[in-house]
Amino acid sequence: MEQPYVYAYPQGSGPSGAPTPQAGGVVVDPKYCAPYPIDMAIVRKMMSLTDGNFVITDVNGNLLFKVKEPVFGLHDKRVLLDGSGTPVVTLREKMVSMHDRWQVFRGGSTDQRDLLYTVKRSSMLQLKTKLDVFLGHNKDEKRCDFRVKGSWLERSCVVYAGESDAIVAQMHRKHTVQSVFLGKDNFSVTVYPNVDYAFIASLVVILDDVNREDRAA
């Protein structure tokens, strides 16, 4: 049986504090943590210019999240909405940074008081995607709370807990004749038990942004 996820730096302790099992897997909200695996289906309409072209559903097709894209391709800010259209998190890219850095805030805020986590590339030159994730209270960023490794092109990415080999989520590609015909990119993400699936969904949005920048480069 999977062990409950433990943060590198759990809530209420600093970098010198020891991780505790009580830390849980909540990053965005406890309601997005389930005691069983969650499978999310992601559909991206590659040629769509409309709002909400990035949609995340459960295995039954029920809408979980959608992405509010910035107008006219300005990718410095994107908003993850729940099924009712309420902002869950706001993702903002810091345009001038050495390793490309994204900050994720609670709800529709971009106030530093509402910072949930920061993501940056682990190195400037990468053949495959490698991202380090630091929770808001991990100010010195000496040790990451999560790592993302894999190939976005192959839709094969894994999210690890801290610097360990413990997997908290995995991405898989889904090929269907219909999806190719309709100009859609379909893939799925399995979120492990007790891990915040809104957090994982927001990471997928950042991965998509990273991929767009790499293709543009």
Side-chain angles (χ1 to χ4, degrees):
M1 180 179 296
E2 292 289 332
Q3 295 298 310
Y5 169 65
V6 178
Y7 290 140
Y9 304 135
Q11 296 283 356
S13 72
S16 60
T20 62
Q22 289 75 26
V26 179
V27 176
V28 177
D29 193 295
K31 69 181 180 182
Y32 296 119
C33 292
Y36 47 83
I38 295 289
D39 287 315
M40 300 189 297
I42 291 93
V43 177
R44 194 178 191 287
K45 300 176 184 178
M46 292 174 281
M47 301 303 293
S48 175
L49 298 177
T50 60
D51 201 0
N53 62 346
F54 197 111
V55 176
I56 302 174
T57 69
D58 63 17
V59 292
N60 297 316
N62 299 310
L63 180 64
L64 295 176
F65 307 106
K66 58 184 177 180
V67 177
K68 183 178 181 181
E69 300 272 358
V71 180
F72 303 123
L74 298 174
H75 297 298
D76 59 328
K77 189 172 84 169
R78 301 165 83 183
V79 182
L80 186 74
L81 309 172
D82 65 15
S84 67
T86 301
V88 177
V89 293
T90 296
L91 306 95
R92 186 179 67 184
E93 181 178 4
K94 299 192 73 172
M95 303 307 290
V96 182
S97 60
M98 285 292 291
H99 289 256
D100 291 337
R101 180 181 287 262
W102 292 261
Q103 292 182 318
V104 179
F105 302 86
R106 187 181 309 281
S109 174
T110 54
D111 192 304
Q112 288 298 316
R113 291 175 299 180
D114 295 312
L115 179 67
L116 293 174
Y117 68 91
T118 298
V119 179
K120 68 177 184 179
R121 293 181 191 262
S122 58
S123 61
M124 294 181 66
L125 298 176
Q126 298 184 343
L127 295 177
K128 289 192 174 183
T129 303
K130 293 183 180 180
L131 304 176
D132 292 335
V133 181
F134 303 91
L135 297 178
H137 58 275
N138 185 355
K139 301 297 184 183
D140 61 6
E141 297 185 359
K142 290 182 179 178
R143 193 163 57 128
C144 64
D145 294 282
F146 297 89
R147 290 178 300 126
V148 182
K149 295 177 66 176
S151 169
W152 176 265
L153 182 63
E154 299 169 3
R155 297 298 187 268
S156 177
C157 291
V158 179
V159 183
Y160 298 92
E163 297 175 2
S164 73
D165 293 326
I167 296 173
V168 298
Q170 295 189 72
M171 179 190 296
H172 318 275
R173 186 155 206 159
K174 293 174 67 178
H175 286 289
T176 67
V177 174
Q178 183 184 32
S179 66
V180 174
F181 178 75
L182 294 176
K184 295 180 179 180
D185 186 15
N186 288 22
F187 53 102
S188 62
V189 176
T190 298
V191 183
Y192 282 44
N194 304 309
V195 176
D196 189 325
Y197 60 89
F199 162 62
I200 299 299
S202 61
L203 272 184
V204 170
V205 177
I206 291 175
L207 280 166
D208 176 63
D209 210 38
V210 170
N211 176 60
R212 291 198 214 184
E213 291 189 355
D214 287 347
R215 284 188 302 179

